Amino acid sequence: MRIAIPRLGRILLVAIQQDLSDDDALEFQSNLLSTIAEIEALGVVVDISALDVVDSFMARVINDTASMARLLGAEVIVCGIQPFVALTLVEMGRGLLGADCTFNLEQGLRTLQTRIASRGDFSLTKGNDDFLR
């Protein structure tokens, strides 16, 4: 299953709409990292609000992907974690340590804009900041 990775300027928006097999998760990771490198993305927002379950493998993939994306120069925000998912991740000892988390997509985009601006890339997002208003 290929997950669409729409872009908004140099920002990538990813919505994971259903549970992924381990192979699908790794394919998603590879595709996302390739797209980040290809467009020199400044940031990524990953919306997982549709997921009822995030197992330890998927949590590890999200953490690793966030770390890899940062090495490539992109900030990563995960949004929409459901309460039951948060509870399960903490009980498993698997927080999302490699990514900042927000309640929803709007907060995710605002947080991403702030993080990009704080590292001095504000001018690069200036032409794209209308989507955050």
Side-chain angles (χ1 to χ4, degrees):
M1 171 187 10
R2 187 168 181 97
I3 297 175
I5 306 175
R7 62 184 277 199
L8 190 57
R10 291 173 64 190
I11 305 298
L12 299 174
L13 305 172
V14 181
I16 301 174
Q17 299 290 319
Q18 56 187 318
D19 294 334
L20 301 176
S21 69
D22 291 354
D23 288 340
D24 290 339
L26 292 174
E27 182 181 347
F28 157 70
Q29 180 183 63
S30 177
N31 291 337
L32 181 59
L33 293 171
S34 294
T35 305
I36 290 169
E38 179 183 311
I39 70 160
E40 298 179 358
L42 296 173
V44 180
V45 178
V46 180
D47 181 357
I48 62 170
S49 60
L51 298 182
D52 293 327
V53 175
V54 174
D55 64 15
S56 65
F57 184 79
M58 186 62 186
R60 192 184 89 197
V61 168
I62 292 171
N63 280 331
D64 291 350
T65 303
S67 297
M68 293 173 194
R70 284 202 178 98
L71 288 173
L72 292 171
E75 301 293 333
V76 177
I77 305 293
V78 177
C79 67
I81 297 175
Q82 298 300 313
F84 185 74
V85 170
L87 178 68
T88 303
L89 288 172
V90 169
E91 285 180 350
M92 289 188 311
R94 278 283 188 187
L96 294 178
L97 304 175
D100 289 335
C101 300
T102 62
F103 283 109
N104 55 47
L105 180 60
E106 183 177 351
Q107 288 177 342
L109 288 170
R110 290 193 191 287
T111 301
L112 189 59
Q113 182 184 35
T114 301
R115 298 198 75 207
I116 291 169
S118 70
R119 68 182 203 185
D121 288 334
F122 181 73
S123 63
L124 296 173
T125 62
K126 208 165 192 168
N128 298 320
D129 62 353
D130 288 343
F131 68 91
L132 298 174
R133 294 176 192 213

